[in-house]
Amino acid sequence: MITGVPLSWYLILGAALFCVGVYGLLANRNLIIIMMSIELMLNAVVLNLVAFARFMEPARITGKAFAIIVYATAAAEAALGLALTIAIWRTEDTVTIEEIDLLQG
Amino acid sequence: MTGLGGEVIRTLLGAFAMALFPLVVVVFLIWEARKVIGRMQDRLGPTNAGTYAGPFALFQTVADGIKILTKELIIPTGADRGVFVAAPILVVTVAIAVWAVIPLGPTGLQVVDLDIGAFYVVAISALAPFSMIMAGWSSRNKYAEVGAFRAVSQIVGYEIPQVLALLIPVLLTGSLSLQDIIRAQDIAFIFVVPLAAFSFLIACVAEVGRLPFELAEADSEIVAGYFTEYSGMMFGAFYLGEFINNLTVSVIFSVLFLGGWRGPWVDQVPWLGAVWLMAKALLVFNVLVLFWAAMPRLRIDQVLAFNWKFMVPLGLVELVTVAIADKTMESLGVAQGWERSAGLLVANLVLGLAIVGVLSLVGREAKRRRSFRRPGVGAA
Amino acid sequence: MFAGQVVFLIIACLMLGAAVRVVTSRRIFHAALWLIGSFFCVAVIYMLLESPFMAGIQLFIYIGGIAVLTVIAIMVTKGGMHPDSHTLGNGWSAAIVSISLFIVMAWTITQLGFPNEPGMPVAEEGLALLGAALVDPGGYLVPFEVVSVMLMVVLIGSLYLGRER
Amino acid sequence: MIHPFAVVGLFLVVSLIFGVAPIALAWLLSPKKLNPRKQQVYESGNPTFGETWIEFKPQYYLFGLAFLAFDVEAAFLFPWALAYNQLALYAVFEAAVFLGLLGVSLVFVWRKGWLEWM
């Protein structure tokens, strides 16, 4: 190993990144920032996947295959989430979750 | 420890030399482009009018560079200062960072031969649109913002055909390392898969925003596009980054499709590889310059429609055709050497003829439909 | 040995700093730029994990794709304009929740005793193996084709949502 | 022996230096005589009017979406292209199905007219 960094460091880094994402998700009211927080959380998950793939089974490809499929899912989620955001923007003229009241009829 | 320290210093020196290389070449490329454009427009281009420009105004760009260094750096009121300054830095950084994997010669004349070299180029280039969007957004200028948005939708769109075309040399070589791709080209890939080379070239022209895809900085519509507000060396950084990108795509096209550093006597004299590569890149660069001088500018809807309705389908069809034709030939026992190349060339030519046929049918249909309406209706 | 740890710590600090700026910036456009910064740092971490392909994918999909799309969405919704505070009133409770979550996770990780060194060196032909496994019926063929169907649904569905009406 | 990735990292740092250096040099060398008229936003000599940060057409976003779908697809194709030489003909057809589905959906949205610029 070139770096000498133990696995637990990567995992703690991933946990910290995930928690920053959780904070952003809970504390923000702008839909786009919420999407960004979700991206941060997904990134933390993939970071864990890649770290485990490197340390636990470097010869095989399961971790990488999982990670790349998580990436595809993340991209799909971002595309659809932002498309919904823009659809809401065009009907409601806002992207702030408190002001969105589509369900009130 | 001294061994490691020496290695680090040697690597750093090599990295500096390699990063300096495109800058030095670009100084003369700018001169060359201005001369060629001048001749095509019945002018002389830069001439030896001043004292400092040297014979044939060879050092005109150097003089310009020194002049621009002493110009005032103006940050407009209301601009977002941090982002405004970061944008030109990012342009040059990204433009140079790509050169880490470019092989100037068989061995040694390369910073590092990454085994995912081609993917590195694509991945680093993914950072490029942000410099434009940062410049456009932070300037607080409507023209700048419109220019940035045009640039981004054009650049990200044309990334798709570019990557699809880049996959074809990778697929034929079975490696992402640029050195391996060069070594596999006993016959330059442009003669094996001309359609892929064609679509890569067009996508590259769009990526670097040369005419006819120059609408990000269409000076008659939106002043200077995303760098309208920049002055002094910050403007110079955009100009430099643009020309480095031109050089980079020329070099990458040469590496992928023209055989890179391969040429006579390279085996005996390795540094000759750099000369061959630069000669090929100069050829490609001059194609860009000729586009620049000869083409009108397209509208944004035309640019995007050309990408999504022609280039992307072409890239998909070409990739599938090459992959299936090659595999079929392999199962027929024609796996190696010139027979494989000839088979792929035939497949490409058939595909090209089919595309021309479809286009002419579509064009005839469109003409027939248009004849029922008054001319000019329907243009945006 | 030591140099790798130093690089890791620097990159980790940059990454977390950028991530915190993402969720606390007052301008959404700045948040997007910090997001790109933290994505880039994640790519560097992948390089430390000797997974250059994952680093490239990180730049290619996350920065080149998702971040570009986010920036475009910000511009289209005028989100880049107003430097307002867009946090909810419950910022403190959110901070407490996420910090306690982090403490629990970090404590668990330190208790579990993960290896300090990877067992094996990186496989030489890892990426080609991955490519072969993606189209191998005994490997990941089904997820591979499902991704294609998913992308198809995304393309059609999101263009349907966003089309001109 | 320096690891190749470390070399890439060094090169990134060097290219950042090359990006910063000219602007830092110009900042040292250039005159600094700012005044409000000089710092005005340049909009072809007209005084600027209205909101500066304009709202863009959602069309830009639609093309961004289409780009993202193909971007992910291209990322999946890289390992496939690398493994291509070891693959059998049926595996190539599987990738062709992968590409074909996206191609079909591209043709679908094209026919629906959602790729038109309005």
Side-chain angles (χ1 to χ4, degrees):
Chain A
M1 190 65 180
I2 49 163
T3 54
V5 183
L7 175 57
S8 53
W9 290 23
Y10 291 107
L11 297 184
I12 289 174
L13 180 63
L17 190 61
F18 188 85
C19 291
V20 173
V22 168
Y23 172 80
L25 189 64
L26 292 177
N28 281 293
R29 58 196 181 113
N30 186 304
L31 269 178
I32 295 176
I33 299 252
I34 289 175
M35 294 301 298
M36 289 191 220
S37 308
I38 295 174
E39 297 305 331
L40 281 180
M41 288 158 71
L42 276 169
N43 235 306
V45 171
V46 182
L47 177 58
N48 273 17
L49 273 177
V50 175
F52 273 120
R54 173 70 189 92
F55 278 82
M56 297 308 204
E57 46 124 53
R60 275 177 268 148
I61 28 93
T62 316
K64 272 184 190 162
F66 261 84
I68 185 173
I69 287 162
V70 171
Y71 270 148
T73 319
E77 171 261 341
L80 278 176
L82 292 171
L84 280 171
T85 309
I86 289 190
I88 290 171
W89 165 258
R90 293 162 102 189
T91 53
E92 295 280 297
D93 219 41
T94 181
V95 288
T96 312
I97 49 175
E98 286 161 340
E99 296 169 15
I100 298 167
D101 46 7
L102 283 170
L103 291 177
Q104 286 179 3
Chain B
M1 208 55 208
T2 49
L4 186 67
E7 184 112 28
V8 168
I9 288 170
R10 243 181 304 134
T11 311
L12 266 179
L13 284 179
F16 264 99
M18 193 61 174
L20 207 55
F21 182 79
L23 293 174
V24 174
V25 175
V26 153
V27 165
F28 293 99
L29 274 189
I30 293 174
W31 170 83
E32 200 257 5
R34 286 177 66 182
K35 274 284 187 198
V36 172
I37 297 271
R39 294 299 157 130
M40 284 194 67
Q41 295 170 345
D42 208 6
R43 298 183 284 119
L44 289 174
T47 53
N48 195 8
T51 324
Y52 309 109
F56 307 108
L58 253 177
F59 299 107
Q60 179 67 43
T61 317
V62 179
D64 286 345
I66 291 168
K67 183 196 78 174
I68 215 166
L69 262 180
T70 62
K71 291 285 179 187
E72 189 169 5
L73 300 172
I74 301 172
I75 299 178
T77 39
D80 192 311
R81 299 178 74 93
V83 182
F84 190 82
V85 176
I89 294 174
L90 187 64
V91 172
V92 178
T93 306
V94 170
I96 290 180
V98 174
W99 283 74
V101 293
I102 293 193
L104 289 181
T107 45
L109 291 170
Q110 185 181 18
V111 174
V112 54
D113 181 24
L114 275 189
D115 49 3
I116 57 153
F119 193 49
Y120 172 86
V121 172
V122 174
I124 287 289
S125 317
L127 284 167
F130 288 106
S131 52
M132 295 167 188
I133 216 162
M134 280 160 72
W137 179 82
S138 66
S139 300
R140 251 199 161 167
N141 179 322
K142 292 187 196 72
Y143 298 115
E145 207 169 353
V146 172
F149 248 53
R150 287 181 176 188
V152 169
S153 51
Q154 170 183 320
I155 285 178
V156 299
Y158 279 87
E159 210 170 293
I160 302 299
Q162 193 183 26
V163 170
L164 289 176
L166 179 142
L167 278 169
I168 288 173
V170 172
L171 180 142
L172 295 177
T173 313
S175 170
L176 278 166
S177 152
L178 293 178
Q179 287 283 9
D180 288 352
I181 290 175
I182 290 174
R183 284 181 209 285
Q185 293 182 58
D186 291 328
I187 302 166
F189 280 150
I190 193 172
F191 300 117
V192 181
V193 281
L195 274 180
F198 166 78
S199 74
F200 191 82
L201 183 67
I202 301 287
C204 280
V205 177
E207 287 278 308
V208 298
R210 275 274 160 258
L211 278 167
F213 300 101
E214 199 210 17
L215 46 140
E217 45 190 281
D219 40 10
S220 54
E221 301 167 14
I222 48 173
V223 193
Y226 51 87
F227 52 82
T228 300
E229 286 299 333
Y230 283 88
S231 68
M233 197 56 218
M234 293 206 274
F235 167 79
F238 278 106
Y239 193 75
L240 190 66
E242 194 178 308
F243 267 92
I244 295 177
N245 281 335
N246 281 337
L247 175 64
T248 311
V249 294
S250 311
V251 167
I252 289 174
F253 184 86
S254 316
V255 166
L256 290 178
F257 293 104
L258 298 178
W261 44 257
R262 289 177 77 126
W265 309 298
V266 171
D267 292 332
Q268 288 87 41
V269 197
W271 57 263
L272 210 56
V275 177
W276 290 123
L277 181 63
M278 281 304 126
K280 288 169 182 174
L282 194 64
L283 196 70
V284 181
F285 178 76
N286 272 304
V287 173
L288 298 192
V289 173
L290 292 188
F291 277 173
W292 182 6
M295 293 267 189
R297 184 184 306 130
L298 296 173
R299 289 194 314 262
I300 179 79
D301 60 323
Q302 293 168 328
V303 165
L304 291 174
F306 180 66
N307 183 36
W308 291 104
K309 298 176 182 174
F310 181 72
M311 296 294 285
V312 173
L314 172 68
L316 292 175
V317 172
E318 163 80 356
L319 185 58
V320 170
T321 309
V322 168
I324 289 181
D326 190 41
K327 248 337 150 193
T328 315
M329 281 194 296
E330 195 182 304
S331 52
L332 292 178
V334 195
Q336 291 303 319
W338 67 269
E339 288 168 315
R340 181 191 186 197
S341 306
L344 286 176
L345 181 62
V346 169
N348 262 268
L349 291 180
V350 170
L351 182 60
L353 280 178
I355 287 167
V356 170
V358 168
L359 281 182
S360 73
L361 275 180
V362 170
R364 204 171 296 161
E365 178 70 13
K367 206 171 176 183
R368 198 180 57 79
R369 249 183 292 140
R370 205 161 36 225
S371 65
F372 291 114
R373 289 184 296 172
R374 281 196 14 249
V377 179
Chain C
M1 292 298 147
F2 187 58
Q5 294 182 348
V6 170
V7 171
F8 176 87
L9 288 178
I10 293 171
I11 296 297
C13 289
L14 287 177
M15 180 168 113
L16 290 178
V20 168
R21 296 299 294 272
V22 171
V23 294
T24 56
S25 280
R26 295 187 66 206
R27 278 205 171 129
I28 303 179
F29 191 82
H30 286 177
L33 294 182
W34 286 113
L35 184 73
I36 296 157
S38 91
F39 285 165
F40 190 84
C41 292
V42 174
V44 178
I45 296 281
Y46 290 164
M47 290 303 261
L48 286 178
L49 281 165
E50 295 178 89
S51 310
F53 178 68
M54 290 316 296
I57 290 275
Q58 172 80 13
L59 293 182
F60 190 61
I61 293 185
Y62 259 97
I63 295 185
I66 294 176
V68 167
L69 203 62
T70 309
V71 169
I72 294 178
I74 290 170
M75 300 300 229
V76 169
T77 57
K78 284 193 185 178
M81 294 195 325
H82 306 297
D84 60 344
S85 119
H86 48 74
T87 48
L88 289 173
N90 60 1
W92 280 110
S93 51
I96 291 168
V97 167
S98 58
I99 288 173
S100 49
L101 185 62
F102 173 71
I103 291 171
V104 170
M105 285 203 278
W107 184 77
T108 319
I109 289 165
T110 47
Q111 294 304 303
L112 282 176
F114 286 112
N116 285 343
E117 293 286 316
M120 293 158 269
V122 168
E124 270 299 307
E125 291 292 310
L127 198 51
L129 283 177
L130 175 62
L134 280 178
V135 285
D136 177 15
Y140 299 94
L141 177 62
V142 175
F144 182 67
E145 297 294 345
V146 167
V147 163
S148 173
V149 174
M150 183 178 75
L151 291 178
M152 180 175 170
V153 171
V154 166
L155 185 60
I156 294 176
S158 50
L159 285 185
Y160 175 79
L161 281 175
R163 75 196 189 281
E164 198 70 52
R165 274 167 289 201
Chain D
M1 182 60 198
I2 301 184
H3 199 279
F5 302 161
V7 179
V8 172
L10 277 179
F11 194 84
L12 288 181
V13 174
V14 167
S15 47
L16 184 63
I17 292 171
F18 271 80
V20 174
I23 289 169
L25 196 64
W27 187 76
L28 287 176
L29 289 178
S30 65
K32 291 174 198 65
K33 288 185 195 125
L34 296 175
N35 63 51
R37 287 196 64 184
K38 208 189 263 179
Q39 286 181 287
Q40 264 177 6
V41 167
Y42 180 75
E43 295 191 352
S44 301
N46 299 322
T48 172
F49 64 94
E51 272 185 330
T52 325
W53 279 321
I54 50 180
E55 182 182 346
F56 280 94
K57 287 154 87 80
Q59 236 78 38
Y60 284 103
Y61 184 71
L62 291 190
F63 286 98
L65 280 173
F67 158 72
L68 186 63
F70 281 92
D71 197 49
V72 175
E73 176 235 23
F76 270 83
L77 286 175
F78 270 99
W80 170 77
L82 204 53
Y84 175 79
N85 285 337
Q86 311 155 17
L87 298 178
L89 187 58
Y90 77 91
V92 174
F93 273 108
E94 285 160 8
V97 170
F98 182 81
L99 283 167
L101 278 174
L102 263 176
V104 166
S105 47
L106 179 68
V107 171
F108 178 80
V109 295
W110 177 0
R111 284 288 149 224
K112 281 280 182 181
W114 298 341
L115 285 178
E116 302 301 324
W117 188 264
M118 277 171 278

